[in-house]
């Protein structure tokens, strides 16, 4: 009899415990069990560094199967533990550079005295405060270089063609009201609701040689919640594992890049509920990334961020286009189109990214700030 609640779902992993070194690789889904193959070499057995096939064969009699189930409830405690684990990997502790092992330890029902669970507990003891920024230090030039791929530089540099981008040309639009007037009635109502919500918004610039202002546990929660909601809505429970991996990857990506962060907080509790990552290069402003908690998703924060991005782009000197980038689904492309953002295949003919990155309204070469 299966006594586990219905929200447990099975996944296959391979765990190799080899002389206190653990390696995990995702294999496949199985009907009613998560199977781990546990290998532990006794003293005098072949080491994990051996490349001979006979060494692997000789260890087969040391293998033991362990069934482990993953709890697919995303709780604050589990996200905290995942961030603690990731933080140790960022700190250079190689044994934590294994995301699948982290998921098994934190979301699985491994024994409390198992090595992965002990690693998770150790990481929690070193957890930084909720809003302490702990991201890697990059120069502003490195951050700009890190941003180019996500911005679609491969297409404007002629290396290869990227996916279509959703663009709003700022033609025949001089004020934000001009833009709102072009919207269908339902979109106007949505914008009105978004502007009536009770949250605060703060702009935080990403500076050189400092941790990104969104490289904290509070912001990590937004990214993970966003990806889990998005991918499980699209793929059901099958998307949960991919969502965790994608969330960690996207958190790393956004905190390595340049630009400004628009930080949304619940006006009552002060909790971070969403982050919008924006970048300006040349005469185009890019809505680079957007991540939100479930609370923010229910309170029209994305729509507010789009409204604000257009409003500030219209007020800025020399901006001719707002770029919301490629869409992950046809439905999202259609949603953007309702708000005037057309999906354009040859998008570099409209969005002009030639020129410098902008900071505080000026191109970088014109700035003399010490962090550049």
């Amino acid at each position: 009899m299966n006594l586990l609640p219905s929200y447990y779902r099975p996944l296959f992993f391979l765990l190799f415990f080899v002389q206190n070194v653990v390696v995990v690789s995702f294999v496949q889904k199985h009907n009613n069990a998560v199977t781990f193959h546990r290998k532990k070499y006794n003293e005098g057995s072949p080491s994990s560094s051996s490349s001979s096939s006979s060494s692997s064969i000789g260890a087969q009699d040391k293998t033991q199967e362990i069934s482990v189930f993953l709890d697919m409830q995303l709780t604050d405690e589990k996200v905290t533990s995942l961030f603690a684990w990731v933080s140790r990997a960022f700190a250079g502790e190689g044994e934590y550079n294994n995301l699948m092992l982290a998921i098994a330890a934190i979301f699985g029902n491994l024994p409390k005295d198992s090595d992965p669970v002990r690693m998770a507990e150790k990481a929690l003891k070193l957890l930084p405060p909720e809003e302490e920024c702990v991201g890697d230090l990059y120069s502003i030039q490195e951050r700009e270089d890190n941003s180019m791929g996500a911005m679609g530089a491969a297409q404007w540099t002629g290396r290869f063609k990227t996916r279509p981008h959703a663009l709003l040309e700022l033609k025949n639009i001089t004020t934000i009201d001009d833009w709102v007037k072009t919207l269908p009635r339902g979109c106007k109502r949505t914008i009105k609701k978004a502007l009536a919500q009770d949250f605060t918004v703060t702009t935080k610039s990403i500076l050189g040689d400092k941790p990104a202002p969104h490289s904290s546990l509070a912001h990590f929660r937004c990214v993970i919640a966003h990806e889990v909601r998005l991918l499980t809505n699209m793929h059901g429970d099958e998307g949960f594992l991919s969502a965790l991996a994608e969330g960690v990857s996207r958190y790393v990506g956004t905190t390595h890049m340049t630009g400004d962060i628009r930080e949304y907080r619940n006006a009552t509790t002060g909790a971070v509920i969403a982050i919008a990552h924006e970048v300006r290069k040349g005469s185009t402003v890019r809505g680079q990334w957007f991540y939100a908690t479930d609370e923010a998703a229910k309170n029209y924060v994305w729509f507010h961020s789009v409204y604000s991005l257009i409003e500030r782009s219209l007020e800025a000197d020399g901006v001719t286009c707002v770029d919301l980038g490629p869409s992950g689904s046809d439905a999202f492309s259609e949603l953007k189109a309702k708000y005037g953002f057309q999906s354009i295949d040859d998008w570099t003919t409209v969005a002009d990214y030639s020129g410098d990155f902008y900071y505080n309204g000026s191109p970088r070469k014109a700035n003399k700030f010490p962090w550049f």
Side-chain angles (χ1 to χ4, degrees):
M1 178 182 294
N2 187 356
L3 300 178
L4 294 170
S6 61
Y7 50 76
Y8 280 90
R9 294 293 184 271
L11 291 169
F12 236 110
F13 291 90
L14 289 180
L15 285 183
F16 295 96
F17 291 76
V18 184
Q19 291 186 342
N20 299 322
V21 177
V22 184
V23 180
V24 182
S25 58
F26 175 62
V27 183
Q28 67 182 67
K29 182 175 179 283
H30 187 59
N31 286 335
N32 289 304
V34 181
T35 303
F36 290 81
H37 295 282
R38 173 174 176 148
K39 292 182 181 178
K40 189 166 185 177
Y41 292 94
N42 296 327
E43 290 185 11
S45 297
S47 71
S48 60
S49 62
S50 174
S51 59
S52 67
S53 58
S54 60
S55 297
S56 298
I57 295 172
Q60 291 303 310
D61 61 341
K62 306 299 183 184
T63 301
Q64 176 188 5
E65 285 193 356
I66 306 171
S67 292
V68 180
F69 286 80
L70 297 184
D71 179 355
M72 295 194 183
Q73 289 190 120
L74 192 68
T75 65
D76 285 345
E77 292 75 18
K78 287 187 173 74
V79 174
T80 298
S81 187
L82 182 59
F83 182 77
W85 184 293
V86 171
S87 295
R88 300 327 308 155
F90 290 163
E93 298 183 30
E95 64 270 29
Y96 286 95
N97 194 23
N98 191 325
L99 182 58
M100 291 306 172
L101 184 60
I103 293 172
I106 296 165
F107 292 87
N109 65 338
L110 287 173
K112 295 296 183 183
D113 61 348
S114 64
D115 288 346
V117 172
R118 286 173 174 170
M119 288 172 64
E121 292 172 347
K122 175 185 173 183
L124 270 174
K125 294 177 181 178
L126 301 172
L127 181 72
E130 177 87 10
E131 295 199 18
E132 180 179 321
C133 295
V134 295
D136 292 332
L137 306 184
Y138 288 99
S139 70
I140 203 65
Q141 182 63 57
E142 288 174 319
R143 289 193 177 280
E144 291 179 357
D145 292 343
N146 292 341
S147 303
M148 298 288 275
M151 295 176 72
Q155 184 150 327
W156 79 64
T157 58
R159 295 203 309 278
F160 58 83
K161 196 172 185 178
T162 65
R163 292 182 293 167
H165 280 214
L167 306 179
L168 175 68
E169 288 189 83
L170 301 183
K171 292 181 177 179
N172 305 317
I173 302 175
T174 56
T175 68
I176 191 64
D177 289 338
D178 293 337
W179 171 70
V180 173
K181 290 176 183 177
T182 68
L183 303 180
R185 182 178 300 176
C187 295
K188 290 177 181 176
R189 286 197 295 266
T190 298
I191 292 297
K192 185 176 181 180
K193 290 177 181 177
L195 297 178
Q197 298 302 308
D198 189 22
F199 44 66
T200 64
V201 190
T202 305
T203 300
K204 296 184 176 182
S205 295
I206 302 175
L207 309 178
D209 300 316
K210 295 181 182 294
H214 58 313
S215 60
S216 78
L217 171 56
H219 303 90
F220 182 79
R221 294 189 193 282
C222 295
V223 181
I224 296 297
H226 186 96
E227 291 303 309
V228 168
R229 182 176 64 253
L230 178 68
L231 293 184
T232 55
N233 283 345
M234 293 174 64
H235 307 295
D237 287 343
E238 300 291 331
F240 183 78
L241 182 67
S242 296
L244 293 176
E246 186 73 10
V248 172
S249 175
R250 286 176 175 267
Y251 168 80
V252 173
T254 182
T255 57
H256 286 191
M257 296 179 188
T258 193
D260 290 320
I261 298 302
R262 298 275 291 174
E263 183 185 80
Y264 286 80
R265 291 178 180 266
N266 181 299
T268 302
T269 66
V272 178
I273 59 172
I275 50 175
H277 187 163
E278 304 171 358
V279 184
R280 177 180 175 183
K281 188 178 189 300
S283 61
T284 299
V285 175
R286 170 72 186 272
Q288 186 88 323
W289 307 109
F290 178 84
Y291 302 112
T293 62
D294 293 351
E295 175 189 345
K298 295 174 183 177
N299 286 279
Y300 306 95
V301 173
W302 181 79
F303 299 96
H304 184 280
S305 72
V306 172
Y307 176 97
S308 177
L309 179 61
I310 297 170
E311 182 179 40
R312 287 176 285 110
S313 296
L314 288 166
E315 294 171 352
D317 183 36
V319 176
T320 61
C321 181
V322 177
D323 181 1
L324 291 186
S327 302
S329 65
D330 291 341
F332 199 27
S333 293
E334 293 169 4
L335 176 63
K336 292 176 181 178
K338 290 180 180 179
Y339 289 84
F341 290 84
Q342 299 303 313
S343 185
I344 299 177
D345 190 54
D346 194 12
W347 56 270
T348 54
T349 62
V350 178
D352 183 7
Y353 280 103
S354 62
D356 298 318
F357 285 87
Y358 274 64
Y359 301 90
N360 295 333
S362 300
R364 179 158 78 96
K365 290 180 180 178
N367 281 291
K368 302 298 181 183
F369 299 128
W371 50 82
F372 296 124

